[in-house]
Amino acid sequence: MTLRIYTDGACNGNGTENSIAGCGVWYGKERDARNLSVLLPLPPHTNQRAELYAVLLAIQSGFLEPRKPRRLLVVSDSKYCVLGITEWMPKWLKNGWKKQDGNMVMNLDIWKRVHACLRELHAQNIVFAIEWTKGHSDDEHNAAADRLATASILPDPSSSSSSEEEEDGEAKPGLADEDAAKGEGGGTG
């Protein structure tokens, strides 16, 4: 059995001090209790960290499932995550988590957790794969993961503010997409 999970991250104010990021994890069905819409628990809040943490949550689910899948496939619209796992991580491990330029890998706290979880999947004989899908396209499952990620960072509708403005009167920043976050920490190892 293959468990296919879609992930996405979202960030309001990406790259700013007051940014807020969240993760969406979609299991393919609307009322699946495993679907997740959560704030990123680990600062700093950036789009890439939210994307990566969503992938981490999906990987963890592989060995937490009551019926262990034989194969876990994570689908992400983040090239940073896909390339990080498939191409860059082996190089980073050889270089002590350093990129080719000698600098430490960005988001190392989450990357180390991803690596540990991938090792656990391997120990449980669960085959892991990750594939890229184009974000904001016609992939309905990616769109669902995006809705979950976005919902995690939206203001609570039961709050007293009905305005689209912050208390200080400034407009809220828009959602950042993957392209806006590109320079943040990739690198080919």
Side-chain angles (χ1 to χ4, degrees), residues 92-111:
W92 293 338
L93 290 168
K94 283 184 193 172
N95 296 331
W97 291 103
K98 291 182 181 175
K99 298 185 296 183
Q100 285 179 337
D101 64 7
N103 291 320
M104 294 301 292
V105 171
M106 300 228 11
N107 306 314
L108 185 57
D109 57 330
I110 303 175
W111 279 114

Side-chain angles (χ1 to χ4, degrees), residues 152 165 172:
S152 71
E165 296 184 338
K172 293 180 183 175

